[in-house]
Amino acid sequence: MCAIICENTDFFAIFAIVFADFENMMDFNTIERFDKIATPFYYYDMDLFRKTVDHVAELASQHNLKVHYAIKANVERRLLEYISSKGFGADCVSGNEVLHAHDCGFPGGKIVYAGVGKSDKEIYNALMLDIEAFNCESLQEIYVINEMAHRYGKKANVSVRINPDIDAHTHKYVTTGLYENKFGISQHEFEKLIEIIGKSEHINFIGLHFHVGSQITRVSEVFALECKRVNEIVAYFERNGLKVGNINLGGGLGVDYDDPDGSPIADFETWFRTISENIVRRPDQKVHVEPGRSLVAQCATLISRVLFVKSGETKNFLIMDAGMNDLIRPALYGAYHKIENLSAEMRTFFPTHQAYDIVGPVCESSDVWGAGRLLPLSVRGDLMAIRSTGAYGQVMASRYNMKDLAPSVFSDRLDEAPVMTDYFE
Ligand code: LLP
């Protein structure tokens, strides 16, 4: 959307750029209200959030799929309460996530619990809630859960996470279904697995769990492949005497980080259609999906202020008050987030653009939001929007450098936002 406007740029090009700027920004009223709020903060567009969840609920019922929201993406209570109120389940990866999901309205019977390293305390708490399934990731874990269930007079529902050995064609840190990954149980242990399940009297074997990776954009290709592999594996286990009642296909649907306004809701249609067309299921077999990112990424924006504009010898730096402590994705994965200068877009219809290295305040050279980004001329105090930050943003934030955690501000409760103090008064 941004471009340098030079003297010979023709009128239509300028018009197109300006129009694109306005199409993409939040409404003026909201931006004016941001001016009074202390930055940085995570701004939640609650209309978009509810629209996304409602859309997914409707599509899932059309395709007869059960949705478990992967709460690791965002554990904000208001979001969880809405998602649980729609009848979705929760996919958790720690004991605290299980307890929090339960506290936010997910009944134990709709909570599944994955993760390669569950501690005894975490297993105990989940056992007490009679959760829908422990998604077990190793043979030893099944053994320990069976023992603990016995000790506490429970029968634990167990699903087994299988490593399907599939390339999700995504960032190597979020590919999880390849043979050498730490997740799930791989083919060489299948026979032993069947034997252990057969011998474990204090577990109910309910099904199989898969998850091949995250931010998958080659949706039909990767998920069709996953379904085909899953069909083979389910058939293998059933042939060997294990009834697979639940097939959990995991999450992974990607979102559009380049154009959040063009694609505010991820392509759930293609994902669900691909599953319907490729999964082999009996009428009594339930098929689960576990979207995390795709349910929440686009509904939040990290709002920050420009603290200083610094001219280097060859570059201009915008130094923001939000840093890698607030959102670690760019520093950790080299992830791209679209950045907009909201104040500059309010100031003028025809902004001049310039390339900036946009950086945070943290004492690490990797604390960079974006290098060489074209933005309207920016000044101290400008409000900046870092887009698509609803997933793996706040949950991965830290207090590194003893920074405060950026709070949540909701579009329908702007009055409750923390007020900006003017130190120059
Ligand atoms: N199910 C399981 C077993 C998972 O491990 C994950 C994510 C999901 C579901 C949800 O996947 P999603 O729909 O969100 O792609 N921090 C990284 C993403 C890590 C994803 C971990 N597992 C990031 O910021 O990109």
Side-chain angles (χ1 to χ4, degrees):
M1 97 181 179
C2 301
I4 297 172
I5 299 177
C6 51
E7 274 169 21
N8 59 3
T9 309
D10 69 25
F11 175 78
F12 291 107
I14 295 174
F15 182 79
I17 292 162
V18 172
F19 182 74
D21 276 353
F22 276 92
E23 196 187 32
N24 287 351
M25 57 191 277
M26 288 168 200
D27 67 85
F28 281 6
N29 238 333
T30 310
I31 299 172
E32 266 176 12
R33 297 191 67 181
F34 285 172
D35 222 18
K36 317 245 166 354
I37 302 176
T39 47
F41 61 89
Y42 277 90
Y43 172 70
Y44 285 90
D45 177 342
M46 293 303 280
D47 286 339
L48 176 59
F49 165 68
R50 292 191 198 102
K51 228 167 105 181
T52 308
V53 175
D54 295 354
H55 173 68
V56 176
E58 199 183 312
L59 270 182
S61 98
Q62 281 166 25
H63 289 269
N64 191 17
L65 295 171
K66 304 271 173 242
V67 181
H68 284 75
Y69 165 57
I71 83 164
K72 66 173 79 63
N74 190 315
V75 295
E76 174 58 56
R77 174 174 288 276
R78 282 196 74 197
L79 306 193
L80 263 59
E81 285 177 348
Y82 188 74
I83 294 172
S84 62
S85 77
K86 292 281 150 180
F88 289 26
D91 160 47
C92 301
V93 285
S94 76
N96 285 342
E97 280 195 4
V98 170
L99 297 177
H100 182 61
H102 190 250
D103 208 39
C104 292
F106 294 93
K110 284 192 176 169
I111 296 176
V112 297
Y113 177 18
V116 293
K118 303 177 179 80
S119 72
D120 292 9
K121 178 180 168 191
E122 291 177 310
I123 293 172
Y124 173 83
N125 285 332
L127 272 176
M128 292 306 123
L129 289 178
D130 295 316
I131 62 167
E132 178 179 358
F134 287 88
N135 289 333
C136 292
E137 308 224 14
S138 65
L139 302 184
Q140 196 164 30
E141 184 188 333
I142 300 174
Y143 179 82
V144 169
I145 290 176
N146 183 58
E147 290 291 294
M148 286 186 66
H150 179 41
R151 195 172 331 136
Y152 296 106
K154 295 277 184 187
K155 192 124 190 179
N157 297 318
V158 162
S159 191
V160 176
R161 178 158 175 190
I162 300 293
N163 183 339
D165 195 21
I166 282 176
D167 189 352
H169 297 290
T170 180
H171 193 286
K172 67 173 190 290
Y173 284 6
V174 292
T175 286
T176 49
L178 282 171
Y179 210 68
E180 69 271 20
N181 289 136
K182 70 175 176 180
F183 301 98
I185 293 175
S186 299
Q187 200 166 350
H188 67 276
E189 290 191 307
F190 282 1
E191 276 179 32
K192 192 105 191 100
L193 171 64
I194 291 167
E195 190 190 322
I196 288 183
I197 290 174
K199 282 191 194 149
S200 305
E201 287 173 24
H202 307 283
I203 65 169
N204 278 325
F205 172 77
I206 64 163
L208 298 176
H209 175 221
F210 305 84
H211 172 76
V212 294
S214 196
Q215 186 51 18
I216 293 167
T217 49
R218 286 154 74 165
V219 180
S220 14
E221 178 194 335
V222 172
F223 289 107
L225 197 68
E226 183 190 16
C227 288
K228 286 188 182 124
R229 189 80 189 102
V230 167
N231 294 337
E232 291 163 11
I233 296 170
V234 169
Y236 169 86
F237 280 98
E238 296 223 316
R239 265 199 319 274
N240 285 279
L242 283 186
K243 186 159 186 280
V244 180
N246 279 298
I247 304 170
N248 182 340
L249 296 171
L253 177 64
V255 304
D256 191 344
Y257 283 101
D258 294 324
D259 186 12
D261 296 296
S263 323
I265 300 186
D267 193 359
F268 286 92
E269 276 104 342
T270 304
W271 188 26
F272 289 180
R273 190 173 12 87
T274 305
I275 293 173
S276 292
E277 286 171 2
N278 290 282
I279 202 81
V280 175
R281 69 196 289 191
R282 294 188 307 268
D284 65 326
Q285 262 171 332
K286 289 192 190 122
V287 177
H288 291 227
V289 285
E290 298 175 330
R293 185 192 315 269
S294 49
L295 271 184
V296 292
Q298 301 293 26
C299 76
T301 301
L302 177 57
I303 305 290
S304 175
R305 272 189 175 82
V306 174
L307 293 176
F308 304 111
V309 184
K310 184 156 112 172
S311 309
E313 221 169 305
T314 54
K315 295 170 164 187
N316 296 302
F317 291 98
L318 285 187
I319 302 167
M320 314 249 273
D321 62 5
M324 64 190 281
N325 56 301
D326 299 298
L327 178 81
I328 201 172
R329 302 191 72 255
L332 187 59
Y333 312 119
Y336 173 88
H337 285 264
K338 186 172 179 182
I339 297 178
E340 293 160 356
N341 183 326
L342 301 176
S343 310
E345 288 169 353
M346 294 269 284
R347 264 195 300 274
T348 167
F349 277 104
F350 298 105
T352 302
H353 288 73
Q354 182 171 314
Y356 292 101
D357 275 16
I358 310 170
V359 300
V362 172
C363 297
E364 295 278 347
S365 354
S366 57
D367 188 20
V368 176
W369 290 109
R373 297 277 184 104
L374 283 173
L375 282 177
L377 280 185
S378 305
V379 297
R380 172 171 158 82
D382 277 356
L383 285 164
M384 309 290 285
I386 304 168
R387 304 292 307 274
S388 318
T389 48
Y392 307 110
Q394 266 175 311
V395 282
M396 293 177 79
S398 79
R399 294 213 49 209
Y400 185 39
N401 287 188
M402 286 190 81
K403 292 279 185 185
D404 291 326
L405 290 175
S408 307
V409 168
F410 300 102
S411 56
D412 55 350
R413 293 189 187 164
L414 275 174
D415 293 342
E416 296 172 12
V419 178
M420 176 77 183
T421 313
D422 188 347
Y423 292 98
F424 291 101
E425 258 171 3

